[in-house]
Amino acid sequence: MTTVVPATAHGITLAAYALHEGKLVAFPTETVYGLGADATNGEAVAAIFAAKGRPSFNPLIVHVKDRAAAEALVEFTPEACALADAFWPGPLTLVLPRKGNSPLSLLVSAGLDTVAIRVPSHLVAQILVAEAGPIAAPSANISGHVSPTTAAHVAEEMGDKVDIILDGGPATVGIESTVIGFEAGKPVLLRPGGVSREDIERTAGPLAAVTNAKVQSPGQLESHYTPRAKLRLNAREAQPGEALLAFGPDAPKGAPNLSAKGDLKEAAANLFAMLRALDKTAGAIAIMPIPSEGLGEAINDRLTRAAAPRP
Ligand code: TXA
Ligand code: MG
């Protein structure tokens, strides 16, 4: 049975207790809702893969309370420290070598010798990781589906597969964290996300191109973030049978608009909720062009995957 619990102090303590017991807890982060398990408990982590129906070669992000907690689990380099200092807490994930004595379940890394780690800025997530310790959490959706940005989405998506859903309101960033790996010490962009490339490059210098993406970010399957409806990108208007997902001030009135003022942050926050709502009523969705600067890169990455041929 799933219980939806408001994210009060009491609710968070209940959730931390459930995590200690090896249960699954969905919780809000600033990006999207996560499906969390105690990252040191192999069986609990395995339950995440089972609940998501996720291919087991896809490793998970570990959420910790601060940089010191991260340093107990992974090896930092000066480049990684600079990024952590600039963007933690916040929607940035760093992929770093696992420490030899790390208590993390090996399943978290799904066979790699690295761990993806981040410090969330959402207050509820911060209190939860402070109480419960490192939490392994992918987005709280069935593998390949659209990520949830509200507790109601999680309930819809996961049904009884999760023990507790902590309701902390809608996720404010609305798109997953930016994932940065390192090749020969230099940062590479493994997944565009809530921190824009421009912001990362201001701290880290130009991002190098990924050369061994398959090994580095096995989660980047082509078709991902998939609604049931067919998607058509860069559409100027809807064809018969399509619903329009608009963007910007020049869009036809009446269609749901990711951001009527053309603000990419607002568009990211609305993306998954609007896709999910349209997916319920429309067989096909035409999406207006989104500029690829700032958070637009992450939005277009998700949309391109969602529109890719289905496996
Ligand atoms: O915003 C987020 O990042 C959300 C919230 C819940 O924190 N989590 C999330 O997790 O999006 P997930 O599991 O859906 O995506 C994790 C991404 C995948 O692309 C995966 O391949 C990559 O991180 N990843 C995880 N561990 C990795 C590793 N050791 N090496 C390379 N990539 C890794
Ligand atoms: Mg996901």
Side-chain angles (χ1 to χ4, degrees):
M1 251 290 286
T2 304
T3 321
V4 181
V5 178
T8 56
H10 177 64
I12 297 171
T13 300
L14 266 181
Y17 186 73
L19 287 167
H20 279 304
E21 287 198 308
K23 295 191 168 148
L24 296 185
V25 170
F27 64 99
T29 82
E30 68 280 19
T31 57
V32 299
Y33 272 67
L35 177 63
D38 174 352
T40 64
N41 179 338
E43 273 181 44
V45 174
I48 295 179
F49 290 102
K52 282 192 62 109
R54 163 173 278 202
S56 54
F57 49 78
N58 198 347
L60 307 174
I61 295 175
V62 174
H63 300 69
V64 292
K65 85 173 169 27
D66 54 22
R67 172 81 169 278
E71 279 176 0
L73 305 173
V74 293
E75 304 283 357
F76 273 77
T77 57
E79 291 82 0
C81 287
L83 285 168
D85 285 343
F87 300 107
W88 281 359
L92 173 73
T93 295
L94 297 174
V95 175
L96 295 168
R98 165 195 281 269
K99 274 205 163 151
N101 59 355
S102 164
L104 294 176
S105 146
L106 285 171
L107 200 52
V108 161
S109 310
L112 301 174
D113 51 12
T114 51
V115 173
I117 199 158
R118 82 179 190 95
V119 177
S121 64
H122 194 291
L123 188 60
V124 173
Q126 287 207 340
I127 301 171
L128 188 64
V129 289
E131 285 193 23
I135 301 176
S139 47
N141 51 275
I142 300 294
S143 199
H145 287 191
V146 174
S147 295
T149 53
T150 66
H153 293 163
V154 179
E156 226 174 80
E157 184 77 19
M158 302 304 302
D160 274 353
K161 297 197 183 91
V162 43
D163 297 292
I164 289 182
I165 301 173
L166 258 187
D167 186 353
T172 49
V173 176
I175 202 156
E176 298 88 343
S177 61
T178 301
V179 182
I180 296 287
F182 296 87
E183 287 186 5
K186 297 278 164 262
V188 294
L189 182 63
L190 297 178
R191 177 178 75 179
V195 180
S196 72
R197 171 194 291 272
E198 293 87 332
D199 283 348
I200 303 259
E201 290 188 332
R202 252 191 295 281
T203 296
L207 287 164
V210 181
T211 56
N212 57 346
K214 280 243 162 61
V215 180
Q216 281 238 4
S217 207
Q220 299 296 51
L221 303 172
E222 268 259 301
S223 169
H224 208 87
Y225 309 99
T226 323
R228 272 177 307 113
K230 245 183 106 183
L231 300 194
R232 187 165 63 85
L233 307 184
N234 297 315
R236 285 283 155 207
E237 60 207 9
Q239 304 291 332
E242 287 180 335
L244 185 71
L245 181 55
F247 174 80
D250 304 326
K253 301 282 170 266
N257 196 319
L258 288 166
S259 171
K261 50 179 196 278
D263 179 319
L264 290 163
K265 275 197 180 147
E266 183 181 40
N270 285 332
L271 178 68
F272 291 134
M274 287 190 173
L275 272 179
R276 197 174 275 271
L278 284 175
D279 199 29
K280 286 194 176 142
T281 54
I285 305 171
I287 303 171
M288 289 181 66
I290 317 282
S292 255
E293 78 230 14
L295 292 196
E297 183 178 8
I299 296 173
N300 283 321
D301 171 77
R302 302 307 186 274
L303 287 175
T304 310
R305 283 171 204 286
R310 315 275 159 92

